[in-house]
Amino acid sequence: MTSVVVVGSVNLDAVTVCERFPAPGETVAGRSVSFGQGGKGANAARAAARAGARTVFVGAVGDDAAAETVLAPLAAASVDLSLVARTRGSTGFANVTVDASGENHIVVVPGANDAVTVDDGARRAIADADVLLLQLEIPQPVVLEAARAAREAGTVVLLNPSPVAPLPDELVDLVDAVIVNRAEARALADILGRVPRVVTTLGPDGARATGPEGECTSPGLPVQVVDTTGAGDAFTGALAANWHLPPSERLLRANAAGALTATAPGASAAPSVQQVEAFLATRAAQPPHAL
Ligand code: RIB
């Protein structure tokens, strides 16, 4: 099994569910509100741990009550939190609105995520790991620093460039594989050709991976969508956790983890290894025309 380090964000997600999104200046009635752990880094770390990887999360929380709310589920998933810094001020916060189709709008206030650093402990963890998984919800110089540390140590660097932003050339050249959705692929089209491996999530159409071995695809896995928040993060976490497997096999498992995450509310509903295996076994038992 792969060992994974995630250097990234953790947020308190306030999730409001409504029938449809309000237009600018409009007020609509919501159905429910809930609070839970989110953040692209923490979601991916939790998904990697649930997928069976020994997982270390390098991040930062504030000195508020939200810190415990977001760390408890990560600890329960056996994510190593010994390199999470406690800073003065607020834990990262995300205002997530989900409509009846499961689509979302998200506003993030970074808070403590702006204080994430790559210290000696983080460097050691990166050097000891098989895979470093990064997103862009912490300051980009920190992302770059982590990627440099990984390259020096021979640790594989996976980057999910989300929220999408222009990438410095040095960072692009340090990345072994990039994981993008269709919009991110369009926005970063000019640099994707320089990255050895590109994994593209295709929403209901599954996922595609290109690399030195060629291209492989994983089909859409129809599920009852409740909330797509964090489905991409679960995909990247599961992909990292299964990095030791052949490209088509890890793509299938990541695809299943992303699909299953969308069947439950909240960003941190990543499935366990057993849940993924049961889901894939059910699908394999179905006649091909139903796939
Ligand atoms: O990708 C989903 C995540 O984006 C949410 O959990 C929210 O915290 C934002 O970081």
Side-chain angles (χ1 to χ4, degrees):
M1 181 54 72
T2 309
S3 61
V4 177
V5 173
V6 180
V7 179
S9 61
V10 58
N11 296 330
L12 177 69
D13 281 7
V15 183
T16 307
V17 180
C18 54
E19 183 62 29
R20 64 170 179 83
F21 296 123
E26 186 188 18
T27 301
V28 298
R31 289 181 186 163
S32 65
V33 63
S34 58
F35 296 86
Q37 172 259 303
K40 296 181 192 306
N43 293 343
R46 190 166 164 184
R50 297 271 291 158
R54 187 162 56 80
T55 306
V56 179
F57 178 60
V58 178
V61 293
D63 57 359
D64 50 5
E68 288 320 308
T69 305
V70 300
L71 293 181
L74 293 167
S78 301
V79 176
D80 181 339
L81 300 175
S82 58
L83 295 173
V84 174
R86 314 276 176 145
T87 65
R88 293 178 72 87
S90 303
T91 296
F93 178 82
N95 192 351
V96 182
T97 309
V98 180
D99 75 0
S101 75
E103 195 46 82
N104 63 51
H105 286 172
I106 303 178
V107 177
V108 175
V109 181
N113 293 309
D114 277 344
V116 177
T117 57
V118 178
D119 62 11
D120 288 348
R123 275 175 206 290
R124 275 195 296 277
I126 291 168
D128 286 347
D130 299 310
V131 172
L132 168 69
L133 178 53
L134 298 163
Q135 309 79 23
L136 299 180
E137 228 173 28
I138 56 172
Q140 233 184 66
V142 182
V143 173
L144 184 57
E145 197 59 35
R148 282 189 192 127
R151 175 57 61 89
E152 273 170 30
T155 300
V156 171
V157 179
L158 306 189
L159 173 67
N160 172 217
S162 180
V164 73
L167 301 176
D169 284 346
E170 185 187 356
L171 179 59
V172 174
D173 293 338
L174 290 170
V175 169
D176 295 293
V178 71
I179 303 133
V180 288
N181 61 25
R182 284 182 168 120
E184 290 156 358
R186 276 194 298 275
L188 298 174
D190 55 333
I191 58 106
L192 292 185
R194 286 168 46 199
V195 180
R197 296 179 185 276
V198 177
V199 179
T200 310
T201 58
L202 304 170
D205 299 323
R208 179 176 59 232
T210 57
E213 307 85 3
E215 179 176 303
C216 61
T217 57
S218 187
L221 302 172
V223 289
Q224 192 75 42
V225 173
V226 171
D227 182 356
T228 57
T229 312
D233 306 331
F235 180 102
T236 62
L239 190 78
N242 288 294
W243 198 252
H244 58 290
L245 297 176
S248 61
E249 190 59 31
R250 63 192 182 220
L251 190 68
L252 177 64
R253 285 169 179 276
N255 193 17
L260 284 172
T261 300
T263 65
S268 50
S272 64
V273 177
Q274 293 76 13
Q275 287 169 320
V276 167
E277 280 172 0
F279 176 62
L280 292 174
T282 311
R283 291 189 49 78
Q286 291 171 357
H289 72 268
L291 294 176

